[in-house]
């Protein structure tokens, strides 16, 4: 199987080989042909399997086949849940369109809208956007979506988790009825099916590698440890292992900040990435981490979701998530695109019930190792940490308020779903993007 045999045009093949890809990933091989045929496609494959190129390449192929229109109306719209993902998808669009006469831009909140508006006014073919800023600029009359031919919902499961259902529905009203729809998701749940049913027209559903395959190739370990000794242990692991690029997950933003400070005091370069950080600070932290000047990136789930950091060798759960699926997403940051990685979880007594839930989900027991000097506290309570016990509760971001916390008002289809309710509550607590 080659990219050429999928029917992609020469300028795209050139960009692909410049990027260094030799063969299409399984989800790309499955998704690209039906997209090229103009069909609606629902594609699900775990994080890190190359879904971005799965929609970007055929989208560029289709757009470049049609003649450029004089005023360059927006012909393709890609919605993503977070700013970082929007930026990443757009970076991909730019790379793959290098040898095509296609213009694109990206818009997201948290930064000045002026440069975004100026770029849109010049005329662009492809717009990558987060829902909030998109709706905002549309209602200001800065952009029109009336000529959209291809609509892409990327990371659709994240969109739902983050309470963007209403915003998606609003966007659907702004684009023409006759269009090609593509929906990409890491998971394929009942809610995703429901959303797909409401957006897609007679879709082709393609899937690649069940979620557990990744889980199996990642070297996973649990260190049972007393809660108060976690910081000491993580510093020991990173320094003694001489680990150079480590992604650490914490439960809260405060926790991320605290841990980052302690790492820095211990002489380990670290940066925190979470929703209370300015866009500039986040971009800087991520760039430093990718370059290698920042050894440890400490992140909350939402901030880290979908970040494309190739070949990440180590992921540490400073606290394990209380939503089992999040564990799979977290460790999906390691061993991307075939390379193997290591995922370590520091588990205190109050997290044991969450650990059992994770083991049930992934269908395997994770090896436990106790490190001398960092033993678990035999007297600690095994009462689970309640999601609501975070300090920064209730200071959710804007998007948060418009969707999640108004669930009780009805209308949000997710609200009926218990698991989602919990999840949303947790999202609120975490106080995300
Ligand atoms: P997903 O959206 O499924 O999480 P991404 O699109 O972010 O995954 O891709 C994950 C990583 O795999 C990126 O670093 C990307 O450059 C790389 N990648 C994508 N397609 C290929 C391919 N065909 N060959 C090699 N690497 C690829
Ligand atoms: Mg993706």
């Amino acid at each position: 199987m080659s990219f050429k045999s999928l029917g992609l045009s020469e300028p795209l093949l050139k960009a692909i080989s410049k990027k260094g890809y030799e063969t299409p990933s399984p989800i790309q091989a499955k998704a690209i042909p039906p997209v090229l045929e103009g069909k609606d496609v629902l594609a699900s494959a775990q994080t890190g399997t190359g879904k971005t190129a799965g929609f970007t390449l055929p989208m560029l192929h289709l757009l470049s086949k049609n003649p450029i229109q004089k005023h360059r109306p927006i012909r393709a719209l890609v919605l993503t849940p977070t700013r970082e993902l929007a930026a990443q998808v757009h970076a991909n669009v730019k790379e793959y369109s290098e040898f095509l006469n296609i213009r694109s831009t990206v818009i997201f909140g948290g930064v000045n809208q002026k440069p975004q508006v100026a770029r849109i006014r010049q005329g662009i073919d492809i717009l990558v956007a987060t829902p909030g800023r998109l709706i905002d600029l549309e209602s200001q009359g800065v952009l029109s979506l009336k000529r959209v031919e291809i609509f892409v919902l990327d990371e659709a499961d994240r969109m739902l988790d983050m309470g963007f259902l209403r915003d998606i529905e609003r966007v659907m009203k702004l684009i023409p009825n006759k269009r090609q729809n593509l929906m990409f998701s890491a998971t394929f749940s009942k809610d995703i099916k429901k959303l797909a049913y409401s957006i897609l027209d007679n879709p082709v559903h393609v899937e690649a590698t069940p979620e557990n395959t990744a889980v199996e190739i990642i070297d996973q370990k649990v260190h049972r440890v007393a809660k108060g000794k976690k910081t000491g242990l993580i510093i020991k692991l990173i320094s003694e292992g001489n680990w150079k690029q480590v992604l650490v997950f914490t439960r809260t933003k405060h926790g991320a900040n605290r841990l980052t400070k302690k790492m820095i005091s211990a002489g380990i370069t670290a940066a925190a990435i979470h929703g209370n950080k300015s866009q500039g600070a986040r971009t800087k932290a991520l760039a430093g981490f990718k370059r290698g000047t920042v050894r440890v990136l400490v992140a909350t789930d939402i901030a880290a979701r979908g970040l494309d950091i190739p070949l990440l060798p180590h992921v540490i759960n400073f606290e394990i998530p209380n939503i089992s699926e999040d564990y799979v997403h977290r460790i999906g940051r390691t061993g991307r695109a075939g390379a193997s990685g290591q995922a370590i979880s520091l588990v205190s007594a109050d997290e044991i019930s969450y650990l059992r839930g994770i083991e049930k989900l992934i269908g395997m027991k994770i090896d436990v190792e106790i490190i001398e000097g960092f033993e678990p506290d035999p007297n600690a309570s095994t009462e689970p940490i309640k999601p609501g016990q975070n300090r920064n509760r209730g200071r959710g971001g804007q998007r948060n308020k418009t969707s999640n916390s108004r669930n009780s008002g009805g209308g949000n289809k997710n609200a009926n779903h218990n698991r989602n309710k919990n999840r949303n509550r947790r999202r609120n607590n975490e106080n995300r993007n």
Side-chain angles (χ1 to χ4, degrees):
M1 174 68 70
S2 66
F3 280 105
K4 195 178 170 127
S5 66
L6 294 175
L8 295 168
S9 65
E10 274 307 322
L12 286 168
L13 295 174
K14 204 167 140 189
I16 292 165
S17 78
K18 190 170 168 193
K19 183 102 172 123
Y21 299 168
E22 284 164 7
T23 48
S25 70
I27 196 68
Q28 289 163 1
K30 287 182 182 174
I32 292 173
V35 179
L36 286 175
E37 282 172 35
K39 293 190 173 130
D40 279 13
V41 172
L42 168 62
S44 44
Q46 63 170 100
T47 305
T49 51
K51 292 190 290 299
T52 319
F55 61 80
T56 308
L57 293 170
M59 173 178 79
L60 286 168
H61 181 104
L62 293 174
L63 292 175
S64 60
K65 263 195 343 197
N66 292 330
I68 304 299
Q69 292 160 36
K70 201 166 152 225
H71 297 293
R72 294 221 183 215
I74 297 167
R75 290 192 290 152
L77 172 66
V78 182
L79 271 193
T80 74
T82 67
R83 305 157 192 184
E84 282 83 4
L85 280 169
Q88 269 170 29
V89 169
H90 183 240
N92 276 274
V93 170
K94 291 284 270 194
E95 284 178 306
Y96 302 137
S97 62
E98 185 181 344
F99 306 107
L100 293 169
N101 182 7
I102 291 277
R103 292 219 294 247
S104 61
T105 197
V106 59
I107 59 173
F108 45 73
V111 294
N112 189 340
Q113 71 169 49
K114 269 194 193 152
Q116 298 179 352
V117 172
R119 181 82 181 122
I120 290 168
R121 292 229 158 100
Q122 288 166 11
I124 46 145
D125 305 286
I126 301 172
L127 180 65
V128 182
T130 54
R133 181 58 61 94
L134 177 72
I135 290 169
D136 195 5
L137 293 187
E138 199 279 341
S139 62
Q140 290 179 42
V142 169
L143 58 90
S144 162
L145 300 173
K146 295 209 174 85
R147 303 279 293 278
V148 167
E149 296 161 22
I150 302 174
F151 172 67
V152 185
L153 198 58
D154 188 26
E155 310 279 344
D157 49 351
R158 296 296 121 220
M159 290 275 200
L160 292 184
D161 281 356
M162 292 177 67
F164 281 134
L165 183 61
R166 289 286 186 79
D167 285 343
I168 295 168
E169 286 166 355
R170 279 181 73 179
V171 172
M172 302 313 294
K173 293 203 181 93
L174 305 173
I175 57 181
N177 281 329
K178 202 177 135 22
R179 55 174 198 256
Q180 183 178 10
N181 301 290
L182 312 175
M183 202 166 127
F184 281 68
S185 176
T187 54
F188 184 56
S189 63
K190 225 161 70 189
D191 290 323
I192 287 291
K193 261 185 244 182
K194 211 152 82 182
L195 182 66
Y197 186 76
S198 71
I199 293 180
L200 309 178
D201 178 22
N202 194 18
V204 176
H205 179 205
V206 293
E207 264 181 298
T209 55
E211 223 160 64
N212 284 355
T213 331
V215 170
E216 280 157 17
I217 61 165
I218 294 166
D219 174 20
Q220 300 168 72
K221 200 185 278 175
V222 159
H223 291 307
R224 288 273 290 108
V225 57
K227 209 182 183 73
K229 289 186 179 164
K230 281 190 176 186
T231 306
L233 178 55
I234 199 170
I235 289 171
K236 177 188 161 81
L237 291 170
I238 293 171
S239 9
E240 288 185 6
N242 201 16
W243 295 345
K244 300 284 185 231
Q245 203 181 33
V246 191
L247 179 61
V248 176
F249 285 93
T250 58
R251 186 182 285 271
T252 65
K253 296 176 184 183
H254 276 302
N257 287 339
R258 264 199 311 270
L259 184 60
T260 304
K261 281 199 192 118
K262 287 192 180 141
M263 296 246 182
I264 294 170
S265 318
I268 297 170
T269 51
I273 182 165
H274 56 63
N276 280 0
K277 293 271 176 190
S278 71
Q279 186 57 34
R282 289 203 260 174
T283 310
K284 195 169 151 233
L286 188 61
F289 187 60
K290 284 190 178 181
R291 246 198 337 265
T293 51
V294 172
R295 237 169 116 184
V296 181
L297 192 66
V298 186
T300 55
D301 284 287
I302 299 276
R305 184 80 73 206
L307 287 184
D308 176 24
I309 308 157
L311 306 178
L312 197 56
H314 303 282
V315 168
I316 303 182
N317 295 312
F318 187 72
E319 286 127 342
I320 57 169
N322 51 346
I323 311 285
S324 303
E325 283 91 345
D326 283 351
Y327 176 82
V328 179
H329 288 295
R330 285 182 180 190
I331 70 168
R333 314 286 91 226
T334 182
R336 292 170 75 87
S340 73
Q342 192 184 34
I344 286 177
S345 303
L346 309 189
V347 177
S348 50
D350 53 358
E351 295 173 287
I352 294 199
S353 60
Y354 296 139
L355 177 62
R356 298 289 167 256
I358 288 164
E359 289 178 331
K360 214 168 137 193
L361 176 78
I362 64 174
M364 63 165 105
K365 281 248 171 242
I366 306 171
D367 287 342
V368 177
E369 194 186 322
I370 292 172
I371 309 267
E372 214 186 307
F374 298 91
E375 291 82 4
D377 175 358
N379 302 317
S381 160
T382 53
E383 178 72 18
I385 323 164
K386 289 208 187 70
Q389 279 173 351
N390 295 328
R391 280 197 244 159
N392 48 348
R393 190 181 179 145
R395 288 197 286 122
Q398 275 182 5
R399 308 266 89 227
N400 216 356
K401 279 184 199 134
T402 53
S403 34
N404 288 339
S405 49
R406 283 185 201 161
N407 274 350
S408 52
N412 187 337
K413 289 174 200 159
N414 285 346
N416 302 329
H417 209 283
N418 248 342
R419 199 175 50 123
N420 263 320
K421 250 200 238 165
N422 275 335
R423 191 180 282 200
N424 283 346
R425 205 173 298 136
R426 213 288 306 268
R427 301 295 178 211
N428 275 336
N429 293 335
E430 196 202 56
N431 192 2
R432 48 129 207 267
N433 296 307

